[in-house]
Amino acid sequence: MIRVAINGYGTIGKRVADAVSAQPDMEIVGVSKTKPSAEAYIAVKKGYPLYIADLSKKDAFEKAGIEIAGSVTDMIGKADVVVDATPGGIGASNREMYEKAGVKAVWQGGEDHEVAGFSFSSSCNYEDAIGRQFVRVVSC
């Protein structure tokens, strides 16, 4: 079973979570949000453990009735691969955390090519992506 963390449960992350949940060989270990929102409620309702980057905001989530499973670092520690669906420009700052945890990571297309050093398109370089630690998709 491939354990997947989705860092950023917004427009892209919600779709990724739905796709991952439909795979028989994958499981979602968690999704993340930065503030209490409708998306955070949806994640919990769907049964996805919810993690936050800044634990000092835990009280705001609890006041909103949203259960928090821990920090993003905790979530990453449970994963084999992270799909970074944070807003463009934010994902690059997460690379060091993923390297330190020794997990594979996939960044959304809003990040620059340099974040992973490899930009993936299934129609032209699928085989070249196999086994890489870091990959950036060329488009959402």
Side-chain angles (χ1 to χ4, degrees), residues 44-57:
V44 171
K45 185 174 177 149
K46 287 188 172 194
Y48 304 144
L50 186 67
Y51 293 83
I52 57 176
D54 183 355
L55 285 177
S56 71
K57 295 181 180 179

Side-chain angles (χ1 to χ4, degrees), residues 10-93:
T11 302
I12 296 169
K14 290 185 295 188
R15 291 177 174 104
V16 170
D18 288 345
V20 169
S21 337
Q23 305 309 309
D25 62 343
M26 295 180 175
E27 69 175 320
I28 295 175
V29 297
V31 300
S32 72
K33 288 300 292 176
T34 57
K35 60 186 174 194
S37 65
E39 291 161 335
Y41 283 108
I42 291 167
V44 171
K45 185 174 177 149
K46 287 188 172 194
Y48 304 144
L50 186 67
Y51 293 83
I52 57 176
D54 183 355
L55 285 177
S56 71
K57 295 181 180 179
K58 184 176 180 182
D59 287 345
F61 282 85
E62 289 176 347
K63 282 183 184 177
I66 302 170
E67 183 179 341
I68 299 303
S71 71
V72 168
T73 305
D74 296 333
M75 177 179 73
I76 302 306
K78 296 177 180 181
D80 299 313
V81 63
V82 179
V83 177
D84 191 300
T86 59
I90 303 295
S93 64

Side-chain angles (χ1 to χ4, degrees), residues 7-9 12 32 83-92 94 98 107-108 111:
N7 195 6
Y9 189 76
I12 296 169
S32 72
V83 177
D84 191 300
T86 59
I90 303 295
N94 293 329
Y98 305 150
W107 282 269
Q108 53 87 12
E111 293 297 334

Side-chain angles (χ1 to χ4, degrees), residues 93-131:
S93 64
N94 293 329
R95 181 182 166 128
E96 185 178 331
M97 176 174 50
Y98 305 150
E99 283 180 305
K100 187 175 180 180
V103 298
K104 294 179 184 279
V106 177
W107 282 269
Q108 53 87 12
E111 293 297 334
D112 292 332
H113 169 83
E114 290 75 23
V115 71
F118 181 81
S119 292
F120 172 75
S121 172
S122 62
S123 63
C124 69
N125 64 0
Y126 177 85
E127 290 185 11
D128 294 334
I130 296 171

